[in-house]
Amino acid sequence: DTGVSQDPRHKITKRGQNVTFRCDPISEHNRLYWYRQTLGQGPEFLTYFQNEAQLEKSRLLSDRFSAERPKGSFSTLEIQRTEQGDSAMYLCASSLPPGTGGENEKLFFGSGTQLSVL
Amino acid sequence: SQQGEEDPQALSIQEGENATMNCSYKTSINNLQWYRQNSGRGLVHLILIRSNEREKHSGRLRVTLDTSKKSSSLLITASRAADTASYFCATVPLYGQNFVFGPGTRLSVLP
């Protein structure tokens, strides 16, 4: 499977614990995005990488959230001291760099990690 | 906060009917895209329309864009039960790389 993969698919944790999610983008994609989605809502932008550089962060990304993409390939999203309000689906998406043709401007999404904070 | 707003929030139709969903946005855009999401899954890209285009077709999909009204519509013709999903519009700002999604329209196609 050469699509975007996310791990784990589901995570249940207790309030106050730390959690880490992983995203493996499509191999030739240098752009990687993290979104958060709650039930009945659209995805909300969290952060975006181009290669290993984190170029944009949403105000939604509090200091408890950190994302990395150390070698410009896979990415991790860590949430420290989880709160019940963090319960959501965390979606990762990747895309080609600009100027590479018509496919470069669309996002390819993974299936997401569903986080439940008890 | 999300830039786009889809209308209606939910739509229920019979198989074979057409489904129309609308999207409004607030800022100048580079392009607008529509995505589909089945329950509990990631989003799948359907179609992209650039800011200098007014209409685009792809199979049973027809998208229109009115930049003066900052709105777009997605028409699905001859709907099928398998079209049941949530549909989201996403805008790419004129200056920026962040895709901004609306809250979506939940479409139910009844057999």
Side-chain angles (χ1 to χ4, degrees):
Chain A
D1 186 352
T2 57
V4 177
S5 63
Q6 292 188 244
D7 183 67
R9 285 281 284 127
H10 303 275
K11 179 70 177 177
I12 300 174
T13 191
K14 293 183 179 179
R15 188 176 55 185
Q17 297 293 306
N18 299 344
V19 293
T20 300
F21 311 139
R22 177 179 169 122
C23 172
D24 287 87
I26 294 172
S27 58
E28 61 267 30
H29 288 186
N30 75 342
R31 294 192 168 182
L32 186 147
Y33 298 77
W34 284 100
Y35 284 84
R36 180 172 70 185
Q37 185 179 29
T38 53
L39 196 62
Q41 297 298 313
E44 292 179 299
F45 171 76
L46 292 178
T47 189
Y48 144 65
F49 290 84
Q50 181 159 306
N51 298 314
E52 65 274 12
Q54 189 173 19
L55 296 186
E56 192 173 343
K57 289 170 60 173
S58 164
R59 285 170 292 178
L60 292 173
L61 213 64
S62 75
D63 56 6
R64 296 186 298 107
F65 288 70
S66 63
E68 293 183 344
R69 195 182 182 197
K71 297 182 180 179
S73 57
F74 73 92
S75 175
T76 58
L77 177 67
E78 181 183 16
I79 308 174
Q80 297 182 328
R81 305 181 303 282
T82 52
E83 303 172 355
Q84 288 185 323
D86 296 331
S87 295
M89 173 80 85
Y90 289 83
L91 293 163
C92 175
S94 67
S95 70
L96 286 166
T100 53
E103 294 289 294
N104 66 327
E105 293 173 272
K106 71 180 189 184
L107 295 177
F108 293 79
F109 279 86
S111 295
T113 294
Q114 182 66 53
L115 173 66
S116 298
V117 181
L118 305 178
Chain B
S1 63
Q2 293 172 329
Q3 170 174 221
E5 293 288 335
E6 281 95 340
D7 167 53
Q9 290 186 334
L11 180 61
S12 184
I13 59 173
Q14 294 293 133
E15 208 165 23
E17 294 180 338
N18 296 341
T20 299
M21 289 159 266
N22 302 296
C23 167
S24 61
Y25 58 92
K26 297 175 184 174
T27 63
S28 297
I29 61 171
N30 179 295
N31 65 74
L32 184 145
Q33 304 179 26
W34 285 89
Y35 288 78
R36 167 196 167 123
Q37 184 180 36
N38 288 84
S39 181
R41 307 296 294 179
L43 284 75
V44 176
H45 180 268
L46 294 176
I47 193 166
L48 177 155
I49 187 165
R50 301 187 187 284
S51 59
N52 62 352
E53 297 176 312
R54 292 296 167 258
E55 187 171 314
K56 202 162 183 179
H57 297 255
S58 176
R60 294 185 295 114
L61 305 180
R62 172 179 168 254
V63 171
T64 62
L65 179 65
D66 187 335
T67 52
S68 66
K69 295 181 180 178
K70 291 186 168 57
S71 67
S72 172
S73 67
L74 171 67
L75 168 68
I76 304 174
T77 60
S79 63
R80 306 165 181 167
D83 293 329
T84 295
S86 291
Y87 293 82
F88 298 92
C89 70
T91 51
V92 179
L94 195 57
Y95 303 106
Q97 299 296 334
N98 172 14
F99 290 67
V100 181
F101 287 84
T105 293
R106 277 149 288 286
L107 174 66
S108 296
V109 182
L110 307 174

